[in-house]
Amino acid sequence: LVHSLAFPFFPMVPIDPNNQNKGIEAEAKKEPPPKKVAFCALFRYATPMDMALVYGGCIFSFISGAARCANMFAFSSALNDLSATENMAEMLQNSMMLLVYIALVLSTCMGLAHYLVSLVAVKQVERIRVMFFKSVLRQDMNFFDARKPGELSVMLGENTQAIYMGLSKKLVEAFSSVASGFFGLAAAFYFSWEMSLVLLAFVPVIGLTAAVTFTLAGGDKMLQRQKAYADAQAVASEAIDSIRTVMSFG
């Protein structure tokens, strides 16, 4: 039940009493790689109430992104008021009050967005961990013999943490960034569409440069890091067990 979210499914492999070692090696070789799923599949265990909270958090996040664009225009208006020759104090006071109102809306919406979405993310991760643990308990000894000590705990911790980040912080930041980009682009075309078109011509170059940099840096190292942690924990567990054995004999 959990494999489609972050890690491979653990099939029930029958034990061959005649050749168990061969079965262990075959299981280790035939283990499929992790499958990628759609983002919406991460909410398959969510209740209607959870989805309502997520939608509310996304709406608040979108509003906070729009408030960021409004904040820039209010700050620009305040700077223009400083150069006014008449009624500068009154005009500057109005601009400051507008900045205060925008700050209140921005902080409130962003706080509610993080709270609601993070609350749902915690519930989803808890359900995934419980179902993963139940799935592990249904496996036979052949399954555990094919894995190193501590590999399952590292797998569970790394993957569920990645799911939590994707369902909470990253989701809020994504909606906020989309709103900021949309309203910022609309405002740019409103004030100067010629300059906006010139700047948009550089967007593909910036995106290509970022993609090349990410690829040259090694890309996503999550699977390699997870395997390294599992190997390190296996070595540490075996070392501690050996120390306990030696100490038990005096």
Side-chain angles (χ1 to χ4, degrees), residues 74-203:
F75 185 73
S76 176
S77 176
L79 292 179
N80 293 332
D81 293 339
L82 291 176
S83 60
T85 56
E86 298 180 357
N87 299 326
M88 183 183 68
E90 182 179 355
M91 296 175 61
L92 189 60
Q93 182 180 3
N94 295 333
S95 298
M96 292 297 103
M97 292 301 300
L98 181 59
L99 284 172
V100 171
Y101 294 147
I102 293 176
L104 290 176
V105 172
L106 178 60
S107 58
T108 302
C109 291
M110 185 60 69
L112 289 174
H114 279 283
Y115 174 75
L116 296 177
V117 177
S118 298
L119 180 63
V120 177
V122 170
K123 294 181 179 180
Q124 297 304 301
V125 170
E126 181 181 0
R127 292 167 187 163
I128 291 172
R129 286 177 175 173
V130 171
M131 298 182 71
F132 175 84
F133 185 71
K134 291 180 179 179
S135 178
V136 170
L137 292 180
R138 290 196 297 266
Q139 309 308 312
D140 52 27
M141 292 302 299
N142 196 22
F143 167 80
F144 295 99
D145 291 339
R147 282 164 176 78
K148 300 177 181 179
E151 181 179 355
L152 296 178
S153 60
V154 173
M155 182 187 302
L156 179 61
E158 283 284 318
N159 290 327
T160 53
Q161 182 63 24
I163 293 175
Y164 173 77
M165 292 297 295
L167 294 181
S168 57
K169 179 181 177 181
K170 299 300 181 182
L171 181 61
V172 173
E173 292 178 352
F175 274 89
S176 180
S177 299
V178 168
S180 299
F182 175 78
F183 288 103
L185 191 62
F189 273 96
Y190 175 78
F191 286 102
S192 177
W193 64 269
E194 297 93 343
M195 181 64 69
S196 300
L197 289 177
V198 172
L199 295 177
L200 282 178
F202 292 94
V203 172

